Amino acid sequence: MIEVNDIHKSFGDAKILKGISTTFEKGKTNLVIGQSGSGKTVFLKTLLGLYTPDQGSIIYDGTDYSDLSTDEKSNLRSKMGMVFQGSALFDSMSIAENVKFPLRMFTKQSKSEMNDRVDLVLKRVNLGDAHNKLPSEASGGMQKRVAIARAIVNQPKYLFCDEPNSGLDPKTATVIDNLIQEITHEYDITTIINTHDMNSVMEIGQKIIFLKDGFKEWEGSNKNIFKTDNEAVTDFVYSSDLFKRVQKMYLEEDQ
Ligand SMILES: Nc1ncnc2c1ncn2[C@@H]1O[C@H](COP(=O)(O)OP(=O)(O)OP(=O)(O)O)[C@@H](O)[C@H]1O
Ligand SMILES: [Mg+2]
């Protein structure tokens, strides 16, 4: 579980996060939604320890990050997996080497232990025979699965995914969403996913926080997001033509 208490983050004079508080439970897919520029990536990078908040605290299973020594911080960081916006694979490394990278960075495992673990997670994401391919030889959906395998290879307690299905067709996007949700449940991970995809909201939005201009404007679940009368949320939810049509359909049914 991650508890976020009143975090603020500015870059120079620009206030980006303006006092966000919430909790993210383990074994759940927690979503952060909001328009482009609302602060989702800055928020996720702050949770990952890449940015230090100017104010407020982040508590990881009872441990306040700011109380930790440098060694303890890097130990905690080794328990975090990250799927970056756009996969961020190393182009010149094979898929297996990409996945192995966190094990080399953070563990002292033997070669065969590492290889076994890489085999296991590649199988888990249905890429059991892609070890020797280069990322450039893989489709967008495969690259996302490699990024997920790399994020979970060191058995993280926390998994952060920034727009994990952007650029994918709707069917492949759903496969990726479901994979992240299954892994979250299977390994009891605290997972936080940035998205602006309403399909993801409906499929895996067990807990959702909605950011607007650096504030948490609303929080809830996919069960109640369609019932809220918060205008910022409804603007966002019904911004796509598809959802406008769905809303119209419901309204017509009610008449
Ligand atoms: N390192 C930085 N230095 C200065 N400003 C930054 C930095 N990173 C982000 N910002 C600014 O913070 C704001 C929020 O950016 P952020 O990337 O978090 O948005 P986002 O919600 O992830 O958008 P998108 O949906 O497009 O990915 C933007 O105005 C951006 O220009
Ligand atoms: Mg972003």
Side-chain angles (χ1 to χ4, degrees), residues 48-75:
L48 193 65
L50 293 178
Y51 294 142
T52 310
D54 305 325
Q55 191 186 317
S57 59
I58 308 174
I59 320 281
Y60 301 84
D61 290 302
T63 302
D64 186 334
Y65 190 78
S66 64
D67 288 343
L68 299 177
S69 67
T70 309
D71 279 355
E72 288 168 334
K73 277 182 183 156
S74 93
N75 185 37

Side-chain angles (χ1 to χ4, degrees), residues 224-236:
N224 51 33
I225 196 165
F226 294 99
K227 294 181 192 149
T228 177
D229 54 9
N230 181 311
E231 214 168 295
V233 178
T234 52
D235 266 5
F236 179 84

Side-chain angles (χ1 to χ4, degrees), residues 40-41 85 162-163 194:
K40 300 182 299 295
T41 295
Q85 210 162 350
D162 201 354
E163 311 268 359
N194 279 355

